[in-house]
Amino acid sequence: MPDLSDYQHLRQNHPGWCTIESEPEIFNQILRDAGAPNTRVIELYSLDESILDKPDPIIGLIFLCRWRHDTSEVQEVETNCPNNVWFANQVSENSCGSLAMINILFNAESVILGEQLAQLKSFTAGLTPPLRGLCLQNSEFLRKTHNSFARRSEILQNNLDVIDSCKNARDSATATSPNSESAYHFIAYVPSGGSVWELDGLKRQPVKIGESDSTSRWLLTAMPRVQLQISKYSEDELMFTLLALTQTTPASIECLDTSFPYAIRVRHPYVAFMRRYIKLLAGKGIQVGHS
């Protein structure tokens, strides 16, 4: 019967990327652990000019939607990733939330990056999007930070998915498996070099969606693009979430919680704890559930 140390060992040594909950508090703790202390993820509830009034500058948007094949007739003009845009392809299943945050962080010049993130950004600066994606996939530091929020059931499911992928073609598994994270997808939007970019890790290159200055008004260029993404779905589709990655200012960081209670609870292995507790009680002759 596994105990607490076994569970932590399982998280730290799992070789793949596990599904984690798309919750701002969890993303915020990942940012702290990864080494981006002056950033914060918040959830947005409207797509109008009110988002320009946020107290902290928004350095990127993350749009979460149900993944689907794009059947629209309009084809994007593919161009090579410009030098002033950092963009990585998604080469690992279940990593798209962390990938979206990295795609934003590495395009925001004024954010503080810890040593490991700074080294990763510098090392990948001259690489192509696929090679950058491979570097992120193989980053033990990022994988362990990401997987620290994986539940035991999700780790075991990830193992089954890996076995499954060896038996089936990737395209078939993606199209027919509604329970895998590939059914949901994160798309990032960032300003860079006077333009606004859509960074979709499943596309080969970034997509330039318009021009904008360096102020927060770049969001007015990004919002119609998000609305266009939503319009591709039927009216009864409600699985959308819009997150903003903000850069905290000196004034607001004093009011910022340094820990996120929900994230701490998710990390705690309650099942392993209760198993251990019941085992200790049984050793003392106490039967749980009996008066």
Side-chain angles (χ1 to χ4, degrees):
M1 185 175 292
D3 60 17
L4 299 181
S5 61
D6 291 334
Y7 187 50
Q8 299 298 348
H9 179 81
L10 185 64
R11 276 176 166 171
Q12 289 296 304
N13 292 278
H14 182 68
W17 290 69
C18 295
T19 303
I20 62 171
E21 188 177 352
S22 302
E23 163 63 40
E25 279 200 25
I26 290 177
F27 289 144
N28 283 324
Q29 193 62 57
I30 288 176
L31 288 169
R32 296 293 176 279
D33 296 342
N38 70 327
T39 57
R40 183 181 177 93
V41 172
I42 60 174
E43 190 165 359
L44 299 177
Y45 300 98
S46 64
L47 273 173
D48 55 41
E49 292 195 26
S50 64
I51 67 174
L52 301 179
D53 301 326
K54 298 299 177 183
D56 294 328
I58 296 176
I59 59 175
L61 296 177
I62 301 175
F63 178 59
L64 169 62
C65 58
R66 191 185 296 273
W67 186 87
R68 52 171 282 179
H69 285 288
D70 190 352
T71 56
S72 62
E73 296 181 359
V74 179
Q75 299 296 320
E76 303 289 356
V77 177
E78 186 173 291
T79 57
N80 289 332
C81 184
N83 293 331
N84 64 314
V85 177
W86 196 98
F87 171 64
N89 293 137
Q90 180 184 337
V91 298
S92 301
E93 291 187 14
N94 306 327
S95 66
C96 54
S98 292
L99 172 69
M101 289 195 292
I102 293 294
N103 270 334
I104 293 174
L105 285 176
F106 286 4
N107 280 291
E109 307 215 350
S110 56
V111 299
I112 299 171
L113 296 179
E115 181 180 357
Q116 297 200 60
L117 283 182
Q119 288 178 352
L120 184 60
K121 180 180 178 180
S122 175
F123 177 77
T124 57
L127 301 181
T128 61
L131 290 178
R132 287 172 176 167
L134 284 173
C135 287
L136 297 186
Q137 177 193 34
N138 294 324
S139 170
E140 183 178 0
F141 165 68
L142 286 180
R143 190 188 71 249
K144 286 184 175 182
T145 302
H146 174 98
N147 284 349
S148 66
F149 288 99
R151 294 181 172 89
R152 181 179 179 83
S153 59
E154 292 160 347
I155 296 174
L156 297 177
Q157 181 61 48
N158 186 249
N159 288 333
L160 292 176
D161 290 342
V162 171
I163 295 172
D164 235 18
S165 67
C166 295
K167 298 178 181 178
N168 305 291
R170 177 186 172 92
D171 289 344
S172 174
T174 301
T176 61
S177 177
N179 295 322
S180 67
E181 198 206 20
S182 59
Y184 297 91
H185 189 47
F186 294 75
I187 303 173
Y189 296 87
V190 299
S192 183
S195 300
V196 183
W197 300 86
E198 179 181 87
L199 307 181
D200 183 342
L202 294 183
K203 292 183 178 180
R204 295 177 58 183
Q205 301 291 345
V207 177
K208 182 179 176 181
I209 60 176
E211 307 292 340
S212 183
D213 56 27
S214 59
T215 70
S216 63
R217 300 193 69 80
W218 72 269
L219 293 163
L220 300 180
T221 302
M223 285 190 295
R225 182 70 175 193
V226 176
Q227 291 170 331
L228 176 63
Q229 295 283 6
I230 294 174
S231 70
K232 296 177 182 179
Y233 294 81
S234 61
E235 292 183 358
D236 57 351
E237 176 60 68
L238 301 176
M239 293 301 296
F240 302 115
T241 300
L242 184 61
L243 305 174
L245 186 55
T246 68
Q247 179 179 333
T248 53
T249 60
S252 65
I253 203 167
E254 294 178 1
C255 307
L256 240 164
D257 292 331
T258 56
S259 61
F260 303 93
Y262 181 75
I264 293 172
R265 291 197 298 272
V266 170
R267 261 186 175 156
H268 188 76
Y270 286 102
V271 174
F273 170 77
M274 290 305 299
R275 284 174 174 168
R276 181 64 175 168
Y277 184 58
I278 292 171
K279 185 177 180 180
L280 290 172
L281 291 178
K284 296 178 179 295
I286 301 174
Q287 296 185 16
V288 178
H290 294 271
S291 58

